[in-house]
Amino acid sequence: MGNINYDFTGRTVIVTGAARGIGLEVAKHFNNSGADVVMVDFDGDEVKQAAETIDATAVQADVSNTDDVERVVQDTLQRTGRIDVVVNNAGILRDRVLWKLTDEDWAQVLNVHAGGTFRFTRAVVPHFRAQNYGRIINVTSYSGIRGNRGQANYSTAKAGIIGLTKTSAKELAAFGITVNAISPNAATRMTASIPEEKVSEVTGPIARFADPAEMANAIAFLASEEAGYITGVVLPVDGGVSM
Ligand SMILES: NC(=O)c1ccc[n+]([C@@H]2O[C@H](COP(=O)([O-])OP(=O)(O)OC[C@H]3O[C@@H](n4cnc5c(N)ncnc54)[C@H](O)[C@@H]3O)[C@@H](O)[C@H]2O)c1
């Protein structure tokens, strides 16, 4: 998979959930495009190993913890003097039909997806406003757009991310900041447990899961300086399944 070729030289990019899957491909992509990449993940060992392969900075942090998120932003600003792009990608699943969901399943999923996206957005806004520039890319899901059996918590969190994307796009446009989301459909550990007979149902007309690098291309476009007139958009990068 080739790289869409936007130049991120001199830019600092934070990617959450970067130890594997989509986040890792996004980190690689920005690294190849010249950015200083900060790879954030709950799994400290895995993200450290992943970052060593591409010469990025690994940080163990939990996006559902405000102190962790503030620490990542402050340490990054101290080290590089700037942050230009945040990709809010970290995610978990706690799937069960809704009548079996526990309060913990509910709270954890909302707190990681919607809460983590909110915390990172809030943490970078003062800096983005001061430099009058910033790009925020959130990661939502088909489940948040259309609903999905077994995912009442996840679809609520992902729908919440759409609301947050649009509201922050409106609040931040005056400060040179754009906020957009993608809705992916890629082969990762998250989709690996989908049974073979269900794959065609969830992949749409293009009838395959994407390479996670295809998500990175879309994110890089939305994160580019050139996409400055695009904000509040939810871009399905899903082979057409959400049509
Ligand atoms: N793969 C798909 O087709 C698909 C479809 C729709 C949405 N998504 C979304 O894309 C994003 C990435 O998914 P993926 O398929 O690469 O999943 P993945 O499970 O391979 O990767 C998720 C990463 O997030 C990290 N993470 C989880 N909780 C965290 C926390 N509290 N703090 C920091 N890091 C944390 C995990 O350790 C992991 O490295 C998720 O938000 C997911 O909901 C994926």
Side-chain angles (χ1 to χ4, degrees), residues 8 11-15 26 30 35-36 38 82-88 124 128 131 133-137 219-220 222-224:
F8 288 92
R11 301 282 189 198
T12 300
V13 178
I14 295 177
V15 183
V26 171
F30 282 112
D36 185 315
V38 179
R82 60 184 305 127
I83 299 169
D84 300 282
V85 179
V86 175
V87 181
N88 287 306
V124 293
F128 278 6
Q131 73 186 4
Y133 184 85
R135 298 276 184 266
I136 299 171
I137 323 301
I219 287 173
L222 292 170
S224 68

Side-chain angles (χ1 to χ4, degrees), residues 7-240:
D7 185 11
F8 288 92
T9 307
R11 301 282 189 198
T12 300
V13 178
I14 295 177
V15 183
T16 72
R20 61 174 194 245
I22 294 171
L24 175 55
E25 286 306 316
V26 171
K28 284 183 188 166
H29 185 115
F30 282 112
N31 184 67
N32 286 338
S33 305
D36 185 315
V37 180
V38 179
M39 298 170 66
V40 176
D41 206 282
F42 189 63
D43 189 333
D45 290 339
E46 202 177 344
V47 77
K48 191 163 172 276
Q49 277 175 21
E52 275 164 10
T53 66
I54 61 168
D55 195 24
T57 303
V59 184
Q60 194 284 331
D62 178 354
V63 302
S64 66
N65 180 299
T66 298
D67 290 345
D68 276 14
V69 172
E70 296 289 337
R71 167 174 56 85
V72 173
V73 169
Q74 290 320 317
D75 288 357
T76 303
L77 284 173
Q78 236 169 31
R79 189 176 62 78
T80 72
R82 60 184 305 127
I83 299 169
D84 300 282
V85 179
V86 175
V87 181
N88 287 306
N89 164 80
I92 55 168
L93 296 175
R94 297 286 182 271
D95 292 359
R96 288 176 224 266
V97 282
L98 90 87
W99 60 92
K100 290 186 180 165
L101 276 178
T102 64
D103 282 0
E104 204 184 349
D105 296 331
W106 177 262
Q108 277 184 352
V109 167
L110 265 89
N111 214 4
V112 170
H113 290 274
T117 302
F118 161 66
R119 280 183 200 89
F120 258 105
T121 303
R122 181 178 61 182
V124 293
V125 159
H127 172 69
F128 278 6
R129 283 187 61 170
Q131 73 186 4
N132 201 36
Y133 184 85
R135 298 276 184 266
I136 299 171
I137 323 301
N138 299 328
V139 180
T140 183
S141 167
Y142 174 88
S143 188
I145 299 169
R146 305 288 295 266
N148 199 18
R149 283 190 301 268
Q151 294 195 317
N153 50 356
Y154 181 76
S155 63
T156 300
K158 290 305 203 187
I161 285 175
I162 295 174
L164 180 58
T165 299
K166 292 182 177 180
T167 295
S168 41
K170 287 183 175 175
E171 289 188 357
L172 300 173
F175 310 108
I177 303 165
T178 65
V179 188
N180 293 289
I182 72 154
S183 174
N185 206 6
T188 67
R189 206 182 297 184
M190 203 175 256
T191 48
S193 59
I194 295 173
E196 191 63 37
E197 66 274 14
K198 280 226 153 199
V199 168
S200 62
E201 199 183 299
V202 296
T203 52
I206 295 182
R208 63 171 174 86
F209 282 116
D211 182 325
E214 294 177 281
M215 305 301 116
N217 277 331
I219 287 173
F221 165 61
L222 292 170
S224 68
E225 225 179 299
E226 289 83 347
Y229 200 60
I230 303 174
T231 199
V233 156
V234 178
L235 178 65
V237 191
D238 65 359

